[in-house]
Amino acid sequence: MPIRCTPDPGEALDSWLEFTAARLTCPFTDVLGALGLPNRETAMSALVLPAWTIRLTRDELASITEVTGVAAGVLAAMTLQPFDGHAVDILPRHRRVNRRVLWGRAGSRFCPLCLADSGGRWPVAWRLSWSFACTRHHVLLADRCPACHRVPRLRSHPRRETPRPGRCSSAAPDGGPRPPRCHHPLTDTPATTIPIDGDLAEAQRLIDTALTAPGRPVRWPLYGPGGAPLNVVLRDTKTLGALTLNHATPDDLDPLAPPNVLDRLEHYRADPLPAGSQRSPDARHDDLHSHVAPGDAAATAVAVSAAFRILRAENIRSAARTVQWLTDRMAASGRPLYPGNVVAVGGAISSALEAALRCSRESKLMPVARLRHRTGVDSTRPPTDHDARARALPTALWPQWALRLTPRHASGRPAAQRADELLAVACLLAGNTTPIRAAVRLTGTTVSSHNVSTFLATLTRHPHGADVLRTLILLADHLDAHGAPIDYARRRALFSARPQFMDARAWLELQRRLRSNPSLNPVHAQRWLFHTLTGSPAHLAHPGIAPASPAQRQHYQRFRWRILPAEAELLRHAARRLLDEHGIDEPVQWTPQLPDRALHGLQLPGPDPHSISPDRLHQAVSGSDFSIAQLARTLETTTAHVVHLLSEHPVDWSPPRFRRTQHTATQAAQWRQWYERDHLSLQAIADLEETTLATIRLALLKNGTQLRPAGSRPGRPRRK
């Protein structure tokens, strides 16, 4: 070529070729022919750009490089190809921009001041919908020629005319079949100024920075430590921006932009269809930005700025608070919003934005939906099938967690009957898609779906209800991540129909030795074993041992906290033996523990069971006539807390004589070992235990030990 022009940094390929033709003062078709580019393709007359402005083929790159000497990499950067998959979506077969993805648009915006400075050179970035402002001159980009009101660069420059850089190449209005060119100087286009340090300029700077390396992740706190790809961020921006333009009121937008920008925006929102549009007014809804980019730079600027306020939040909870006004506006428009469709308002979006949108509706969601969508923990995970968790859940939530999570009336009574069973069902529903009725069946309880829904509604009205739901979700996540050492479903199948768990004679014999007024009915011991092994309340046991009346249930609860240490030890041994008989290598009991940081800042309705040590509890019990209420006042806690502690850490409240008997009963096995294996004398054992020789002698006889003659030991002749 007689003259070679160096492309400006960031210049579009067609702008460079037009500038070259202008320098050569030749028709545009001569330059296209010299470079081997087609000049008679359909795009030359259609309202789309030629394919080579979108993406160059290998042959086109080689031809242009050979003629101009410009490197292939520089040429590729002058098209939209570097932004493919990041800021635009190019259909590879047709080399066309998919305008319904990532807010693609036809034509190009421009900055009149930049055109004046560069002599009409046109950056390729202006062709992106994400370019709406000039951060160098602090103005919004212009959308149309002020003379012909057409969008520049909708099609290629007329091939038989010599380009005139900086002037409009669109057809003049009302020019007939072969209209002349408009040729209005685009540098004279009025520009809308924006604040230098305002939200609009900041939003454009963020986009410009991201577009310099579109393959690099955008590291905003909402997207986690690894950030998110640019196309994900822009897809979220498109969704939020479309919702803003469709639903926001002028008062909502006042903090985002100056009055001159908002006036331009409202004028555009009043009539978003361009002049001369062939579509009917009924088709306006389809043009309201959900798929196609806004046709005005002011609309794009405000939409992107509003979206960035949400997406640049510190975390999901903060983003939810920021976006709540928008979802409230959507709901007020009559659009039904629930977790299943609030995340589908604008197509595919990131999991972080899904979570923020769900959390923004938390106060309006039904309690079971808050559990399913895990809004209490700002979850980015949609609900799925977690029915396998039922095997790790007891029918009644573990006593330690039931104590902490059960709301209670001022009298100390639970806010709902069978609250521990309802909490277990709620824990299964967390993040789960299973219906409530199926969850009830899987946990083995007999509460109704209505009971569960009513209880969850009660929780949401409680001052600490949100923290209770959060803790249930954390427990469910812990079980999903770490499992449980106990298969409660298997135990329920094995033991629920069993009418007897231990030999009543051993229990009665122990009671006679330990209690001054022993109970001759061992049914409470059978209930205790059923309850401990299965995690199910005693009223769900076999009818032969299940308490049939409220009074019987109260008697059993009293039995649990009045049990003596020796009795509890015997029952634990019996439970262990039953598991061994069935080949079950599991602990007798287990309770999941959450790290302290997980519960930090949560206010739960019940006390922390670990706040009072067993030693402090034992010291507070004085004799067999202690009162639960008095003990609660002494320990400065609730009666429910005291009952739980006594059940978990039995206290020896028996009178002194029976306390000595209990100690004897628990130590008899050790004494027998010392006597038979270590050959200690009765007196030596008595000295070790600081008791009398008669006590040792009587205990060994009761345990079936054959006593040696006095003074005998192995190797020593017996006295005659």
Side-chain angles (χ1 to χ4, degrees):
M1 298 182 69
I3 297 177
R4 290 186 178 185
C5 301
T6 304
D8 278 0
E11 185 178 8
L13 179 63
D14 53 338
S15 169
W16 172 58
L17 297 183
E18 291 172 15
F19 187 80
T20 300
R23 287 290 306 274
L24 293 170
T25 62
C26 67
F28 191 45
T29 186
D30 292 350
V31 173
L32 296 179
L35 300 179
L37 294 176
N39 59 13
R40 289 187 176 276
E41 63 174 312
T42 306
M44 301 297 286
S45 58
L47 289 177
V48 290
L49 285 172
W52 47 264
T53 63
I54 308 298
R55 173 188 286 174
L56 288 166
T57 65
R58 184 177 303 176
D59 292 341
E60 290 169 346
L61 280 171
S63 175
I64 299 175
T65 298
E66 181 180 359
V67 173
T68 64
V70 179
V74 175
L75 293 172
M78 299 170 71
T79 68
L80 293 180
Q81 185 173 349
F83 307 109
D84 183 23
H86 306 295
V88 293
D89 182 72
I90 298 177
L91 301 172
R93 181 178 177 183
H94 304 286
R95 290 196 287 172
R96 293 283 178 263
V97 173
N98 185 352
R99 295 175 57 192
R100 289 182 173 268
V101 178
L102 290 174
W103 259 358
R105 73 187 308 269
S108 177
R109 297 189 178 111
F110 61 95
C111 172
L113 303 175
C114 287
L115 288 178
D117 292 344
S118 66
R121 312 292 280 266
W122 209 283
V124 68
W126 285 352
R127 194 161 277 152
L128 300 174
S129 294
W130 307 108
S131 296
F132 52 81
C134 175
T135 56
R136 178 184 172 193
H137 297 104
H138 315 298
V139 296
L140 290 180
L141 298 183
D143 294 285
R144 297 174 180 275
C145 168
C148 65
H149 303 291
R150 300 186 190 276
V151 176
R153 297 192 176 272
L154 278 176
R155 66 178 86 184
S156 176
H157 191 280
R159 60 184 183 275
R160 299 199 179 276
E161 294 192 14
T162 301
R164 301 175 65 181
R167 292 181 176 269
C168 178
S169 62
S170 300
D174 302 326
R178 293 182 176 272
R181 300 298 101 184
C182 173
H183 287 164
H184 182 81
L186 296 177
T187 54
D188 293 344
T189 306
T192 303
T193 58
I194 59 174
I196 297 177
D197 297 324
D199 288 346
L200 307 185
E202 176 65 15
Q204 185 64 72
R205 279 192 289 267
L206 289 171
I207 289 179
D208 291 345
T209 301
L211 291 177
T212 59
R216 186 185 304 161
V218 177
R219 300 187 183 277
W220 290 351
L222 180 66
Y223 294 102
L230 177 60
N231 65 334
V232 172
V233 176
L234 294 182
R235 198 165 57 228
D236 289 350
T237 303
K238 168 191 168 183
T239 296
L240 294 172
L243 294 176
T244 299
L245 295 177
N246 290 339
H247 298 284
T249 66
D251 291 340
D252 296 328
L253 302 177
D254 276 345
L256 295 175
N260 60 333
V261 176
L262 293 178
D263 289 344
R264 179 171 160 181
L265 167 64
E266 291 308 315
H267 177 74
Y268 167 76
R269 289 212 298 176
D271 187 12
L273 290 179
S277 173
Q278 300 301 312
R279 280 168 281 187
S280 67
D282 295 337
R284 289 175 184 270
H285 183 73
D286 293 333
D287 296 329
L288 292 183
H289 330 300
S290 294
H291 302 289
V292 180
D296 190 277
T300 305
V302 174
V304 171
S305 299
F308 279 9
R309 279 197 172 192
I310 299 164
L311 298 177
R312 298 187 70 201
E314 290 298 319
N315 49 52
I316 290 174
R317 182 62 57 178
S318 177
R321 290 193 295 267
T322 309
V323 79
Q324 184 175 353
W325 71 269
L326 183 54
T327 54
D328 286 345
R329 288 285 182 268
M330 294 165 60
S333 69
R335 182 174 191 166
L337 287 179
Y338 49 89
N341 78 338
V342 75
V343 298
V345 290
I349 58 177
S350 69
S351 58
L353 181 56
E354 282 190 20
L357 290 171
R358 279 196 297 265
C359 291
S360 72
R361 305 301 299 163
E362 183 174 21
S363 62
K364 306 294 191 298
L365 295 179
M366 294 182 64
V368 68
R370 295 170 65 177
L371 273 176
R372 293 192 193 280
H373 292 270
R374 303 169 70 249
T375 57
V377 296
D378 308 337
S379 171
T380 59
R381 191 174 71 212
T384 54
D385 181 5
H386 286 287
D387 286 354
R389 190 189 306 147
R391 305 192 71 86
L393 278 169
T395 301
L397 200 68
W398 299 279
Q400 171 183 320
W401 289 107
L403 172 70
R404 296 199 72 178
L405 301 180
T406 302
R408 296 181 180 272
H409 298 299
S411 63
R413 294 180 62 83
Q417 294 183 354
R418 305 170 68 177
D420 50 357
E421 298 173 63
L422 296 169
L423 286 168
V425 176
C427 190
L428 179 56
L429 291 173
N432 200 352
T433 56
T434 191
I436 297 178
R437 184 174 299 176
V440 168
R441 184 182 68 256
L442 288 169
T443 55
T445 184
T446 57
V447 298
S448 67
S449 302
H450 177 73
N451 294 146
V452 176
S453 300
T454 302
F455 175 70
L456 292 177
T458 302
L459 274 183
T460 57
R461 292 192 295 268
H462 192 274
H464 307 317
D467 288 344
V468 173
L469 294 179
R470 178 184 177 89
T471 306
L472 288 171
I473 295 169
L474 293 175
L475 281 173
D477 289 349
H478 180 83
L479 295 176
D480 293 341
H482 305 287
I486 296 178
D487 187 343
Y488 288 100
R490 175 172 60 181
R491 293 195 184 186
R492 287 192 287 266
L494 283 174
F495 300 120
S496 291
R498 185 165 181 153
Q500 184 173 347
F501 292 88
M502 68 176 298
D503 185 6
R505 291 175 295 178
W507 175 257
L508 294 175
E509 178 61 27
L510 182 63
Q511 288 234 308
R512 290 191 183 97
R513 294 203 308 266
L514 298 181
R515 295 177 180 264
S516 58
N517 185 23
S519 171
L520 299 179
N521 187 357
V523 70
H524 287 324
Q526 310 287 0
R527 293 166 179 165
W528 190 97
L529 286 168
F530 167 80
H531 189 179
T532 300
L533 286 170
T534 65
S536 303
H539 64 83
L540 297 178
H542 186 277
I545 59 175
S549 64
Q552 291 179 358
R553 296 183 187 182
Q554 291 178 3
H555 292 161
Y556 171 66
Q557 295 303 325
R558 178 179 172 84
F559 166 82
R560 285 183 61 82
W561 62 263
R562 292 285 290 187
I563 195 172
L564 294 171
E567 295 172 336
E569 188 66 22
L570 175 64
L571 292 176
R572 279 192 287 268
H573 280 302
R576 179 73 267 166
R577 186 173 61 253
L578 285 168
L579 293 177
D580 292 342
E581 289 175 359
H582 289 84
I584 299 176
D585 185 17
E586 296 175 352
V588 175
Q589 291 175 288
W590 172 79
T591 300
Q593 301 297 326
L594 298 179
D596 292 339
R597 66 178 182 277
L599 302 178
H600 179 70
L602 298 185
Q603 295 183 350
L604 301 176
D608 182 357
H610 302 300
S611 60
I612 297 176
S613 67
D615 291 340
R616 185 182 172 197
L617 171 70
H618 292 187
Q619 292 172 3
V621 176
S622 57
S624 61
D625 58 346
F626 65 90
S627 161
I628 289 291
Q630 180 59 46
L631 195 55
R633 287 192 291 271
T634 301
L635 297 174
E636 298 179 342
T637 187
T638 64
T639 56
H641 190 187
V642 172
V643 169
H644 170 76
L645 291 173
L646 291 172
S647 301
E648 295 293 315
H649 310 289
V651 174
D652 189 358
W653 47 263
S654 55
R657 180 169 68 86
F658 290 97
R659 191 173 302 173
R660 288 194 298 271
T661 304
Q662 178 183 343
H663 177 74
T664 300
T666 57
Q667 291 296 102
Q670 179 65 57
W671 296 347
R672 181 172 182 172
Q673 188 178 36
W674 286 343
Y675 185 75
E676 293 181 345
R677 190 190 68 182
D678 300 334
H679 305 292
L680 295 183
S681 66
L682 298 180
Q683 187 60 56
I685 296 173
D687 293 342
L688 283 174
E689 292 293 300
E690 298 181 353
T691 187
T692 64
L693 185 145
T695 299
I696 303 297
R697 180 184 180 86
L698 182 60
L700 292 179
L701 287 173
K702 284 186 174 183
N703 281 272
T705 305
Q706 183 68 34
L707 297 184
R708 300 188 297 268
S712 67
R713 70 170 183 270
R716 177 176 179 177
R718 182 177 178 182
R719 290 188 300 175
K720 297 182 179 178

